[in-house]
Amino acid sequence: MLEEFKKFAMRGNVIDLAVGIIIGGAFGKIVSSFVADILMPPLGRVMGKVDFTNLFIDLSGTGYTSLAEAKKAGAATINYGLFINTIIDFIIVAFAIFLLIRQINRLKKAEEVPPPATKECPHCVSSIPIKASRCPNCTSTLEQGSAA
């Protein structure tokens, strides 16, 4: 069983998946930092000096002035500002993945469609070889280069 697991784990797909997960986690941290530290502060300033990370609803009714204060007291809160940041994180990551997949698809060669090997007889509508000059089914004479 150990040998079977070793074969499974060393296949290319599993290693590629592991590398993808590790890089994806690191990329997620970069995007989260970008959103929280670079994108949201100017956006909050433009919107009237709003700190999105500090937007919350205090369910205890005590009236905490900051999310940190409410968390320290153990109060139940709905942290919709952090949720907004997470949604923006997701949108940026999804857009980056879209751009990456789009570029990968452009690099792949388009599958070439082979030229047709048969054509239809204009008289009996049967399928015949493209180079045929006479239909083997109805014995009609065909014009060269004619195809249905």
Side-chain angles (χ1 to χ4, degrees), residues 19-121:
V19 169
I21 289 171
I22 292 168
I23 290 174
F27 181 70
K29 289 179 182 178
I30 290 169
V31 170
S32 293
S33 176
F34 171 74
V35 169
D37 301 329
I38 296 174
L39 185 66
M40 295 309 279
L43 185 62
R45 184 175 175 104
V46 168
M47 294 179 66
K49 297 185 181 181
V50 177
D51 179 9
F52 281 90
T53 59
N54 212 21
L55 296 177
F56 68 101
I57 297 172
D58 179 13
L59 297 176
S60 69
T62 307
Y64 296 103
T65 59
S66 71
L67 180 59
E69 184 182 319
K71 281 188 176 185
K72 187 175 181 181
T77 58
I78 297 176
N79 307 324
Y80 67 92
L82 294 174
F83 183 69
I84 291 170
N85 280 0
T86 304
I87 289 172
I88 293 171
D89 280 353
F90 172 77
I91 291 170
I92 292 172
V93 170
F95 186 68
I97 290 171
F98 165 74
L99 292 176
L100 178 69
I101 297 299
R102 191 170 151 203
Q103 291 304 318
I104 289 171
N105 288 340
R106 282 185 180 175
L107 293 176
K108 287 183 180 177
K109 289 184 180 179
E111 292 182 25
E112 292 183 23
V113 179
T118 61
K119 62 182 176 182
E120 264 186 15
C121 172

Side-chain angles (χ1 to χ4, degrees), residues 5-21:
F5 176 74
K6 184 178 175 183
K7 285 181 184 177
F8 168 77
M10 298 313 281
R11 287 188 357 209
N13 301 6
V14 175
I15 294 171
D16 291 345
L17 179 63
V19 169
I21 289 171

